[in-house]
Amino acid sequence: MVQLVKKTKVAGAIKRRREAGLWKEVKRNKAIYAMLAPYFLIFFTFTVLPVVLSMIVSFTDFNMLEFPEWVGWRNYAQLFVRDDVFLIALKNTLLFAAITGPISYIACFVLAWVINEFPPKLRAIATLVFYAPALSGSAYIVWTLLFSNDSYGYINAFLLKWHLILEPILWLKTPKYILPIIIIVQLWLSLGTSFLAFIAGLQSMDKSLHEAGAIDGIRNRWQELWFITLPSMKPMLMFGAVIQITASFAVAEVATALAGFPSVKYAGHTIVTHLMDYGTIRFEMGYASSIATVLFGMMLGSNLLVRKLLTKVGE
């Protein structure tokens, strides 16, 4: 009993000492915290607080007119047991993310790595060319002309001209073609912010690291990439992973523009379009919040998995 009391007193003293040290650190850096305070308040008010409120609302029945009614896990049960359209959207989103996420992430880095070796003027031109699809806003609408359902669509016209088909294919009205087309368009758009982050990271690397690596036994470019370049770029790699994961899970605008809303047999339906349906059309905010919470959990889990994988880079 005496030993337990002594341990408790020691633990309390250590805790008080840590709190005192933390308070001294805050007082020492009060100017920095004062400058960070406006950003923190804005971030907390418009990012953290809405996420927390959305999680709370997901356990209610809320139509924006009446006071929310607590329903517990009913929204989630309905989501995974009764909502067949959500299950289709979940399957489409996971398939979409599994294909576009890794491919676009690797493509962004490989292209940035290759372009970084170009002379400065050529590098600037190549960066602009590859970044142009993401820079041009709704330029993906041109794909509706390529995959137009009539003979005026470029792909149908080409196939008809060479007698490969006898009549136009309804590309954006046939369920088996819709999701692959959306994936192709999203990959075309994927060289965005993460691509620029990789270019910036490669440009800011310390060149002396490569010389030190050559002295320590690095013999080829692949060893240089794995043991020097990638470990030096871990912050940019993580940033790019977050951007690509968000883009792959949050696809909605492209799917709606190409396949319509709703798409034929929900072939292009995603979690975000399902969220838009219940949140902005039906105004069932409790159910919409449960969809948003599930999507948030999927993104968070993917980010944690990628972070764990990135820790092994260079080992």
Side-chain angles (χ1 to χ4, degrees):
M1 185 66 182
V2 175
Q3 290 181 350
L4 181 61
V5 171
K6 288 183 178 179
K7 288 182 178 179
T8 303
K9 289 182 178 179
V10 171
I14 293 174
K15 183 179 179 181
R16 287 191 296 271
R17 196 178 302 115
R18 287 179 178 175
E19 291 176 352
L22 179 62
W23 180 244
K24 288 181 180 178
E25 188 71 20
V26 171
K27 290 177 66 176
R28 186 181 306 114
N29 300 311
K30 58 184 178 181
I32 297 175
Y33 288 110
M35 288 187 287
L36 287 175
Y39 169 79
F40 174 78
L41 289 174
I42 293 173
F43 177 77
F44 179 82
T45 303
F46 295 102
T47 302
V48 178
L49 188 60
V51 170
V52 174
L53 291 177
S54 177
M55 291 181 179
I56 296 173
V57 172
S58 70
F59 293 98
T60 67
D61 182 8
F62 182 36
N63 59 11
M64 296 188 69
L65 296 176
E66 301 173 323
F67 191 79
E69 178 186 355
W70 186 264
V71 295
W73 295 96
R74 190 181 75 185
N75 288 332
Y76 293 96
Q78 180 177 344
L79 202 61
F80 289 100
V81 177
R82 300 178 183 174
D83 194 342
D84 294 335
V85 177
F86 173 75
L87 295 180
I88 295 173
L90 180 63
K91 180 198 71 173
N92 290 340
T93 302
L94 290 175
L95 182 61
F96 188 91
I99 295 174
T100 62
I103 292 177
S104 60
Y105 183 71
I106 294 171
C108 283
F109 181 80
V110 171
L111 285 172
W113 186 44
V114 172
I115 291 173
N116 186 60
E117 302 298 322
F118 292 175
K121 291 184 179 180
L122 183 58
R123 181 170 62 239
I125 295 172
T127 302
L128 178 61
V129 169
F130 284 106
Y131 184 61
L135 189 67
S136 54
S138 300
Y140 55 82
I141 298 298
V142 300
W143 289 84
T144 59
L145 179 59
L146 291 173
F147 288 102
S148 179
N149 296 321
D150 52 32
S151 59
Y152 293 101
Y154 289 163
I155 295 179
N156 275 335
F158 175 81
L159 296 176
L160 287 169
K161 179 180 179 180
W162 292 95
H163 305 290
L164 297 174
I165 57 175
L166 298 177
E167 59 183 12
I169 298 176
L170 303 178
W171 297 105
L172 298 175
K173 298 298 181 183
T174 305
K176 68 178 181 179
Y177 296 132
I178 291 175
L179 190 61
I181 291 173
I182 296 173
I183 289 173
I184 291 171
V185 176
Q186 185 62 33
L187 287 173
W188 180 72
L189 290 168
S190 62
L191 296 182
T193 307
S194 54
F195 172 68
L196 294 183
F198 294 154
I199 287 282
L202 290 166
Q203 285 292 298
S204 60
M205 279 191 60
D206 186 359
K207 304 301 181 184
S208 63
L209 293 175
H210 299 289
E211 299 174 1
I215 296 172
D216 290 339
I218 299 296
R219 293 291 175 257
N220 56 59
R221 294 301 301 273
W222 296 110
Q223 290 181 341
E224 181 183 283
L225 174 66
W226 182 254
F227 292 109
I228 298 177
T229 304
L230 292 179
S232 301
M233 289 184 58
K234 280 186 179 180
M236 280 70 75
L237 292 175
M238 189 62 212
F239 174 77
V242 171
I243 295 297
Q244 295 302 125
I245 289 171
T246 303
S248 60
F249 275 103
V251 62
E253 188 178 0
V254 174
T256 303
L258 295 177
F261 182 75
S263 55
V264 179
K265 293 185 179 180
Y266 299 102
H269 206 59
T270 65
I271 293 178
V272 176
T273 56
H274 202 57
L275 172 62
M276 291 166 55
D277 183 13
Y278 280 91
T280 63
I281 297 176
R282 309 188 193 197
F283 293 104
E284 297 182 19
M285 302 308 294
Y287 196 68
S289 295
S290 66
I291 298 172
T293 302
V294 170
L295 181 61
F296 175 75
M298 292 168 60
M299 288 184 175
L300 183 61
S302 299
N303 280 319
L304 293 175
L305 177 62
V306 170
R307 177 173 295 190
K308 188 174 181 179
L309 292 175
L310 288 177
T311 58
K312 300 183 181 298
V313 171
E315 294 181 359

